Amino acid sequence: MQTRSLSARDQQVIWHPYTQMHTAPAPVAIVRGAGALLFDEEDNSYIDATSSWWVNIHGHAHPHIAQRLAAQALQLQHVIFSGYTHPPAVHLAEQLLEILPDNQRRVFYSDNGSTAVEVALKMAIQYWDNKGSRKHTFLAFKNAYHGDTFGAMSVSGRSAFTRVFDELLFEVQFIDLPTPENISRLKEEVNALLASGVAAFIFEPLLQGAGGMLMYEAAPFEELLQHCVSKDILLIADEVMTGFGRTGKNFAMEHVQTKPDMICLSKGLTGGSMALGITTCTAAIYEAFLSNDKLKTLFHGHSFTANPLACAVALASLELFTAKDCAEQRQRINEKHRVFLQELQEMKAIKNPRLLGTVLAFEVATPNADGYTNKLADHLHQFFRDRRVMLRPLGNTLYVLPPYCITDEQLDRVYECIREMVASLP
Ligand SMILES: *Cc1c(COP(=O)(O)O)cnc(C)c1O
């Protein structure tokens, strides 16, 4: 019989992501979830205020999703996706193309956000190659985060995450986030880079997640996108975190008129229940790969491409997402956040409080530099964990990014803990 706690057993055998195992406290063992709550071994409940790493949108162990998963598992759990297809993959692609920006025509499946980005990068390079031009540079924003595999790391801002690998990453041109003041300069910077052969511009539209929940304005962004379009630079919208309602619209690209050439999706795609990645593209991108020449094929695929279970779960999640009450819930969260935002604006210890859709973020003022390695992070993490609120700061940046089903009372409790944290600061 096992007598040690799950958490103690974990510490003997597991290596956790983004965790300094030498100093990290023992992990909390979560045994079940319901709505925005997660329960540990002693049945203590925790409010999931960060949607379990930004993936959850409808709450945990949702019965509709669970039932569809079980039904699919009894039908077909997986099949090779080259030369074969299956109903959930086709239905999901049809349904998604209905709600994505209307220039998107094809769905390429993979199994997580990083792979969705890798696929987009490869599509961009090979698109130009198939058309007989060589363009090998990418444009990206400073502080961007596009994933942890090498290609995705390369187009991510150079940071503590990439430091050890910097010399192994391919070259990418980084520009500042657009503002009304710097937009003319940014356009000149883009012009100066054209000679190096820019294949594509990859960006997190309006909200940079891991880079620190940084938000930027739609108008100068639109101007930058239009400029890139005029210079034949493909646009890759990485909506892995902004997709599925996070920013107040179904997809963040709906805040601007310009339509991207490719879109990357994951995280909320399955409602946060299973791993699935999608890269969509326009007819123009897709058609550049059609040829009698086999070398023009996109040679990319993963064993679990378009896993039927994941696709079935994504379809179930999409049904919940497109229902009227989901939009209402997002609106409700935005309004509650807005009220608390005003309170945050009055607090001396809080810097740059900001809000977009269901995402509320701010920095906690500290004597040390802002950023991911800011020492305050561990303290904050523990502070909220002790109060059974799951808030995981990015350095001294705190953010509330809840599942859309979070109740008003649960949100109030999260705000209350933030007030308490601010009051406890030296
Ligand atoms: C999380 C994230 C990724 C990477 O997704 P994974 O599934 O964690 O590999 C890529 N882009 C953005 C914008 C993300 O937030």
Side-chain angles (χ1 to χ4, degrees):
M1 202 185 89
Q2 283 289 355
T3 51
R4 284 180 309 153
S5 72
L6 205 59
S7 175
R9 282 160 57 201
D10 171 293
Q11 288 187 294
Q12 297 301 312
V13 291
I14 288 173
W15 187 347
H16 286 270
Y18 282 97
T19 303
Q20 175 42 263
M21 298 298 289
H22 187 56
T23 50
V28 180
I30 298 298
V31 294
R32 70 186 178 91
L37 295 180
L38 290 161
F39 296 83
D40 69 12
E41 290 175 285
E42 272 100 49
D43 219 34
N44 298 307
S45 68
Y46 293 72
I47 300 174
D48 186 356
T50 46
S51 297
S52 286
W53 249 349
W54 323 342
V55 300
N56 196 296
I57 59 179
H58 308 300
H60 293 278
H62 195 290
H64 181 64
I65 292 179
Q67 280 153 11
R68 295 283 286 274
L69 173 61
Q72 183 59 41
L74 291 167
Q75 281 289 322
L76 172 71
Q77 90 302 347
H78 191 60
V79 62
I80 178 174
F81 205 61
S82 182
Y84 296 84
T85 191
H86 55 79
V90 177
H91 288 167
L92 178 59
E94 288 170 350
Q95 298 293 309
L96 268 179
L97 291 176
E98 286 286 313
I99 63 164
L100 282 168
D102 62 11
N103 67 337
Q104 299 298 300
R105 291 296 154 73
R106 291 279 164 172
V107 170
F108 191 99
Y109 285 106
S110 61
D111 48 26
N112 63 73
S114 301
T115 55
V117 167
E118 296 287 343
V119 169
L121 300 177
K122 282 186 167 183
M123 275 181 185
I125 298 288
Q126 195 175 343
Y127 166 82
W128 292 113
D129 191 86
N130 283 359
K131 288 172 79 80
S133 24
R134 197 189 129 91
K135 296 196 186 188
H136 278 187
T137 311
F138 288 98
L139 189 63
F141 283 134
K142 288 173 189 163
N143 277 312
Y145 178 78
H146 296 292
D148 283 350
T149 50
F150 269 81
M153 258 201 298
S154 295
V155 290
S156 298
R158 300 295 175 262
S159 70
F161 302 172
T162 63
R163 184 189 60 84
V164 191
F165 313 104
D166 279 356
E167 283 176 19
L168 302 173
L169 303 179
F170 55 73
E171 214 180 294
V172 172
Q173 304 294 341
F174 292 100
I175 56 173
D176 288 323
L177 289 178
T179 64
E181 294 73 38
N182 74 6
I183 183 65
S184 306
R185 171 171 62 81
L186 292 190
K187 289 202 275 190
E188 278 163 29
E189 281 182 35
V190 171
N191 292 346
L193 296 170
L194 291 174
S196 63
V198 184
F201 173 30
I202 181 165
F203 48 83
E204 297 158 274
L206 296 190
L207 171 61
Q208 292 187 306
M213 291 297 156
L214 303 173
M215 298 171 189
Y216 58 97
E217 280 176 54
F221 176 48
E222 177 103 271
E223 210 175 320
L224 180 62
L225 295 179
Q226 278 302 324
H227 187 68
C228 289
V229 170
S230 75
K231 301 295 176 193
D232 261 353
I233 298 173
L234 297 174
L235 303 178
I236 304 173
D238 179 353
E239 294 239 20
V240 168
M241 99 129 321
T242 53
F244 301 98
R246 268 299 155 209
T247 68
K249 306 264 187 190
N250 284 353
F251 298 95
M253 285 306 284
E254 291 170 28
H255 290 280
V256 292
Q257 303 293 317
T258 312
K259 300 200 160 98
D261 298 284
M262 285 165 264
I263 300 178
C264 306
L265 300 171
S266 188
K267 293 203 166 107
L269 172 60
T270 61
S273 294
M274 289 191 71
L276 186 65
I278 279 181
T279 311
T280 64
C281 70
T282 59
I285 300 282
Y286 175 70
E287 283 161 13
F289 290 74
L290 304 179
S291 171
N292 291 324
D293 179 356
K294 283 221 167 176
L295 293 178
K296 296 203 167 172
T297 308
L298 180 63
F299 292 112
H300 189 102
H302 297 277
S303 316
F304 285 100
T305 293
N307 175 255
L309 301 176
C311 290
V313 160
L315 270 168
S317 174
L318 203 55
E319 285 167 11
L320 298 172
F321 177 70
T322 48
K324 186 163 149 275
D325 59 339
C326 183
E328 287 166 3
Q329 284 181 329
R330 284 179 268 142
Q331 184 62 30
R332 170 185 60 90
I333 294 171
N334 178 266
E335 280 159 21
K336 281 194 70 77
H337 274 354
R338 192 170 298 281
V339 174
F340 187 56
L341 179 76
Q342 285 166 1
E343 206 179 309
L344 289 171
Q345 281 160 345
E346 304 298 312
M347 295 181 186
K348 280 211 180 60
I350 299 301
K351 290 193 296 187
N352 192 19
R354 51 200 183 271
L355 169 65
L356 183 65
T358 60
V359 184
L360 177 72
F362 55 88
E363 274 73 50
V364 180
T366 81
N368 302 316
D370 293 348
Y372 191 81
T373 51
N374 189 292
K375 301 248 185 323
L376 197 65
D378 292 341
H379 165 74
L380 292 177
H381 195 191
Q382 192 62 43
F383 183 94
F384 292 107
R385 214 172 98 163
D386 291 344
R387 284 154 188 81
R388 304 214 173 96
V389 169
M390 280 186 182
L391 279 180
R392 188 176 178 280
L394 294 158
N396 59 326
T397 302
L398 254 183
Y399 60 91
V400 186
L401 189 159
Y404 306 146
C405 65
I406 193 167
T407 65
D408 284 351
E409 293 70 31
Q410 288 161 346
L411 263 181
D412 287 335
R413 172 70 190 142
V414 174
Y415 300 149
E416 188 49 44
C417 286
I418 292 172
R419 281 187 203 104
E420 208 188 314
M421 180 278 293
V422 170
S424 79
L425 289 170

